[in-house]
């Protein structure tokens, strides 16, 4: 494959309805149809993608959508072929300066393929999750993907094995249980170069100057790498760079990850990549059994359920994918409940209105719980974002109540916050009051708030007297996402006081985040 035409990779697409003897429509020709994305399956989907996770994926392997598992092959052996010799080269160049841009990039990089049970789904550039942004730093992403043309079987030549055909004639449901609804009929190979450059500067002005030089020519990975090197040389006294580089595979070498500190190494590594890259399978292509002329099942195998339930089934599938790719450790465990509801839909008597109503209720429960897992990560991020730096800096210091009467950090519950309505039951609170009358000398009250099985998402300290004689408080320990905080209240000399401390908490287990997603 020596031809190297540089063009944007077309999104993988759904094929229109099958015509007799037609082979799958190429991605380029099918651009007018609905693209396959992680947002879900469409009603007439014939072709879908599956991440190539290892040698256990073979041509003809069946795939069970509801259970996300590979099944036995129902097909006579076949050999996929490529219909083109043109490789596609796609540069991905992004300059990031804010946490919002960084978060958006991480989400965009999450694989848009359907999952296997137990297979890990993660962002292509998972290193981004550990990157920090600031007013004086920027992140430059340099990525080049080289993709071979798809290698696919000619579907009009595919034949079922005798045993599979016999089972199909006996029962479509038993056939699906053994062989799934889809099968692997091809694959796509690629090579990938990635360099994530974190540049720390002495000021916003230097950062903006470097950014301007990069965004002016953001078209080619090699050119941007050279521009970055020149810009850093010109500002060497005011900027330093930290680079995380990943190369999928080179001739005679295994995939590599490197941590470097010189931009000239990025240039030399990219030059070597262009000369010595090796493409390897990264995407399995799945095809619905309906392309086989002898197969009686329509593309939309749940059409008989009616529009609402067919859509419900697709929504559950989307929910499964979202849960598996969630940053929350415990989210994926809920996929088993969704699988049961998927099976419930497949076995549903659509003439039984009560059963249909109950199933719809179960579907809503599943989608609500999926929304909760998405919101839990957002809540955790908001709590960290709203953490008070001044309170953290003043731990161990006595703070007098004079003109200021309230101190808070993090997220003070979710009441009144419509975004987090579904999480109301996740939040627990603890409130302690230290209210005493006059006594000679100074009085003290020390309180420990929180629990070992909880994480604090917010806390507040309030002085309930406004005569500047309420004494002071001292925060001994406690930060957002800690399990406990300890605060001490101290009266003025021969004075009384009225103080309140309150914390808002969530379950430590439920809100546990995967290590590479922690901020």
């Amino acid at each position: 494959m020596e031809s190297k035409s540089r063009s944007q990779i077309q999104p993988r697409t759904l094929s229109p309805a099958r015509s007799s003897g037609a082979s799958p429509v190429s991605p380029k020709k099918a651009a007018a149809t609905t693209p396959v994305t992680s947002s879900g399956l469409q009603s007439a989907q014939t072709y879908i993608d599956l991440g190539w996770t290892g040698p256990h994926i073979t041509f003809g392997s069946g795939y069970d959508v509801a259970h996300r598992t590979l099944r036995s092959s129902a097909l006579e052996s076949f050999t996929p072929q490529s219909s083109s010799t043109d490789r596609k080269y796609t540069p991905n160049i992004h300059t990031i300066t804010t946490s919002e841009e960084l978060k958006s990039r991480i989400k965009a990089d999450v694989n848009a393929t359907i999952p296997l049970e137990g297979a890990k789904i993660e962002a292509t550039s998972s290193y981004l999750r550990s990157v920090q942004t600031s007013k004086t730093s920027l992140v430059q992403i340099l990525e080049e993907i080289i993709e071979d043309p798809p290698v696919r079987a000619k579907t009009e030549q595919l034949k079922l094995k005798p045993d599979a055909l016999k089972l199909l004639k006996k029962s479509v449901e038993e056939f699906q249980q053994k062989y799934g609804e889809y099968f692997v009929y091809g694959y796509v190979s690629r090579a990938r170069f990635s360099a994530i450059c974190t540049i720390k500067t002495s000021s916003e002005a230097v950062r903006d100057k470097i950014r301007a030089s990069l965004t002016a020519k953001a078209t080619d990975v090699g050119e941007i790498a050279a521009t970055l090197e020149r810009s850093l040389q010109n500002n060497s006294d005011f900027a330093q760079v930290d680079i995380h580089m990943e190369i999928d595979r080179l001739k005679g070498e295994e995939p590599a990850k490197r941590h470097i500190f010189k931009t000239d190494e990025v240039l030399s590594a990219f030059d070597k990549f262009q000369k010595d890259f090796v493409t390897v399978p990264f995407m399995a292509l799945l095809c619905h059994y309906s392309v086989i002329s002898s197969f009686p099942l329509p593309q939309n195998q749940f059409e008989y359920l009616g529009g609402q339930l067919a859509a419900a089934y697709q929504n559950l599938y989307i929910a499964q994918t979202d849960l598996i790719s969630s940053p929350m450790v415990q989210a994926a465990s809920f996929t088993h409940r969704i699988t049961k509801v998927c099976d419930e839909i497949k076995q549903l008597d659509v003439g039984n209105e009560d059963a249909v109503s109950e199933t719809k209720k179960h579907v809503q429960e599943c989608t609500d719980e999926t929304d909760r897992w998405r919101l839990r990560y957002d809540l955790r991020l908001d709590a960290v974002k709203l953490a008070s730096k001044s309170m953290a800096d003043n731990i161990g210091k006595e703070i007098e109540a004079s003109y200021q009467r309230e101190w808070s950090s993090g997220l003070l519950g979710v009441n009144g916050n419509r975004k987090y309505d579904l999480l109301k039951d996740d939040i627990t609170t603890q409130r302690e009051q230290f209210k005493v009358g006059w006594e000679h000398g100074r009085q003290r009250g020390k309180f420990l708030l929180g629990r070992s099985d909880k994480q604090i998402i917010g806390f507040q300290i309030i002085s309930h007297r406004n005569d500047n004689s309420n004494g002071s408080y001292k925060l001994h320990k406690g930060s957002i996402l800690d399990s406990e905080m300890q605060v001490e209240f101290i009266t003025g000399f021969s004075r009384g006081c009225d103080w309140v401390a309150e914390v808002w908490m969530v379950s430590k287990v439920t809100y546990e985040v995967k290590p590479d997603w922690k901020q």
Side-chain angles (χ1 to χ4, degrees):
M1 297 183 183
E2 295 300 322
S3 174
K4 296 186 178 182
S5 61
R6 289 181 175 267
S7 61
Q8 292 294 322
I9 295 177
Q10 298 292 329
R12 223 170 313 283
T13 56
L14 307 180
S15 169
R18 172 177 54 88
S19 59
S20 178
S23 59
V25 178
S26 71
K28 189 171 183 179
K29 290 182 180 178
T33 60
T34 310
V36 178
T37 69
S38 59
S39 61
L41 302 172
Q42 304 298 322
S43 60
Q45 187 160 350
T46 306
Y47 305 106
I48 56 180
D49 299 338
L50 175 72
W52 192 280
T53 56
H56 58 286
I57 298 179
T58 58
F59 298 136
S61 293
Y63 182 77
D64 183 330
V65 173
H67 300 87
R68 309 181 316 281
T69 55
L70 291 171
R71 299 297 190 195
S72 301
S73 174
L75 300 167
E76 299 282 6
S77 63
F78 61 89
T79 303
Q81 296 178 348
S82 175
S83 58
S84 171
T85 58
D86 289 339
R87 281 182 168 138
K88 296 175 182 178
Y89 293 70
T90 303
N92 294 316
I93 300 168
H94 306 280
T95 304
I96 296 169
T97 55
T98 68
S99 59
E100 288 76 17
E101 291 173 344
L102 183 63
K103 185 178 178 181
S104 175
R105 188 70 249 149
I106 290 171
K107 287 186 176 180
D109 278 346
V110 172
N111 290 337
T113 58
I114 65 174
L116 272 174
E117 175 71 32
K120 184 178 181 182
I121 292 182
E122 61 178 24
T124 302
S125 302
S126 59
Y127 175 77
L128 280 176
R129 299 169 189 161
S130 64
V131 170
Q132 298 286 331
T133 58
S134 73
K135 292 182 178 180
T136 59
S137 68
L138 64 86
V139 179
Q140 182 64 53
I141 300 174
L142 303 173
E143 182 182 63
E144 174 121 325
I145 295 175
I146 303 172
E147 185 173 311
D148 285 338
V151 176
R152 291 179 289 213
K154 293 183 178 180
T155 54
E156 70 272 17
Q157 298 176 1
L158 297 175
K159 294 181 180 179
L160 292 175
K161 294 176 180 177
D163 288 348
L165 184 58
K166 182 178 179 181
L167 182 61
L168 175 63
K169 291 178 179 179
K170 174 186 174 185
S171 167
V172 171
E173 184 177 350
E174 289 184 30
F175 177 93
Q176 287 186 309
Q177 288 175 355
K178 184 171 183 178
Y179 300 111
E181 299 93 353
Y182 290 82
F183 63 92
V184 178
Y185 82 113
Y187 66 92
V188 177
S189 294
R190 76 171 185 186
R192 173 178 166 269
F193 172 91
S194 172
I196 301 173
C197 310
T198 304
I199 303 151
K200 297 179 180 179
T201 71
S202 58
S203 68
E204 284 188 69
V206 174
R207 183 202 67 178
D208 292 344
K209 182 179 178 181
I210 293 174
R211 175 171 185 164
S213 69
L214 294 172
T215 54
K217 298 181 179 180
T219 56
D220 181 86
V221 171
E223 186 179 3
I224 291 296
T227 301
L228 177 59
E229 183 179 9
R230 288 193 299 271
S231 185
L232 290 174
Q233 286 177 346
N234 295 335
N235 296 277
S236 58
D237 293 337
F238 310 103
Q240 56 180 326
V241 65
D242 183 282
I243 303 167
H244 178 81
M245 190 163 61
E246 296 184 14
I247 303 175
D248 278 356
R249 190 181 295 271
L250 298 176
K251 292 177 182 177
E253 299 181 21
E254 290 298 311
K257 295 182 180 181
R258 295 171 57 194
H259 197 183
I260 58 178
F261 302 94
K262 295 181 180 180
T263 50
D264 59 350
E265 293 186 48
V266 176
L267 268 173
S268 60
F270 183 65
D271 288 341
K272 182 174 175 59
F273 169 77
Q274 289 187 306
K275 295 174 185 177
D276 298 334
F277 71 85
V278 176
T279 58
V280 294
F282 86 103
M283 189 81 69
L285 304 179
L286 304 188
C287 185
H288 195 271
Y289 284 111
S290 60
V291 301
I292 301 173
S293 58
S294 61
F295 197 83
L297 199 63
Q299 284 175 243
N300 184 2
Q301 62 267 43
F302 304 108
E303 191 174 32
Y304 67 90
L305 294 173
Q308 286 188 328
L309 284 177
Y313 184 89
Q314 306 291 9
N315 288 338
L316 288 173
Y317 177 80
I318 296 168
Q320 281 184 318
T321 304
D322 288 345
L323 288 168
I324 293 172
S325 60
S326 169
M328 310 302 285
V329 171
Q330 299 297 322
S333 62
F334 190 72
T335 60
H336 299 293
R337 167 62 177 154
I338 293 180
T339 296
K340 289 182 180 179
V341 179
C342 286
D343 289 340
E344 181 181 321
I345 291 176
K346 292 171 72 174
Q347 299 167 13
L348 187 63
D349 176 3
V350 293
N352 186 331
E353 292 184 3
D354 289 339
V356 170
S357 177
E358 188 68 16
T359 296
K360 287 181 179 179
K361 178 182 175 182
H362 295 162
V363 171
Q364 188 60 52
E365 290 171 353
C366 288
T367 53
D368 283 350
E369 186 62 19
T370 302
D371 286 342
R372 287 189 187 93
W373 282 110
R374 175 180 53 79
L375 289 169
R376 281 168 182 142
Y377 184 63
D378 286 351
L379 182 142
R380 192 180 187 277
L381 288 180
D382 284 348
V384 172
K385 185 177 180 180
L386 294 171
S388 169
K389 185 177 184 301
S390 63
M391 290 192 78
D393 290 343
N394 287 328
I395 287 179
K397 299 178 182 178
E398 193 170 329
I399 307 298
E400 187 176 354
S402 52
Y403 297 104
Q404 185 175 353
R405 296 178 57 206
E406 294 186 11
W407 297 260
S408 65
S409 183
L411 199 61
L412 307 184
V414 297
N415 289 335
N417 188 335
R418 293 184 63 187
K419 176 181 178 180
Y420 294 122
D421 276 347
L422 287 171
L423 300 184
K424 287 180 180 178
D425 292 339
D426 283 8
I427 313 299
T428 57
T429 63
Q430 182 182 349
R431 186 176 186 273
E432 300 289 351
Q433 183 175 23
F434 184 58
K435 183 177 182 180
V436 295
W438 176 91
E439 277 191 19
H440 185 69
R442 302 186 76 184
Q443 302 174 70
R444 297 173 179 267
K446 186 180 287 188
F447 300 89
L448 184 67
L449 296 91
R451 277 172 32 186
S452 60
D453 61 340
K454 298 287 187 180
Q455 279 188 324
I456 294 172
I457 60 166
F459 57 87
Q460 185 176 47
I461 296 171
I462 302 176
S463 169
H464 280 296
R465 292 177 62 168
N466 57 8
D467 58 1
N468 297 334
S469 64
N470 205 36
S472 57
Y473 82 88
K474 181 187 290 187
L475 185 63
H476 288 278
K477 67 176 183 178
S479 299
I480 298 303
L481 302 185
D482 284 353
S483 293
E484 297 176 331
M485 67 167 283
Q486 187 176 56
V487 61
E488 182 179 14
F489 299 114
I490 308 146
T491 68
F493 190 80
S494 298
R495 295 276 188 176
C497 71
D498 186 359
W499 288 91
V500 166
E502 187 169 8
V503 298
W504 288 262
M505 302 167 286
V506 294
S507 164
K508 184 183 291 186
V509 172
T510 303
Y511 280 77
E512 183 183 1
V513 173
K514 295 173 184 176
D516 52 356
W517 278 87
K518 291 182 178 177
Q519 297 292 305

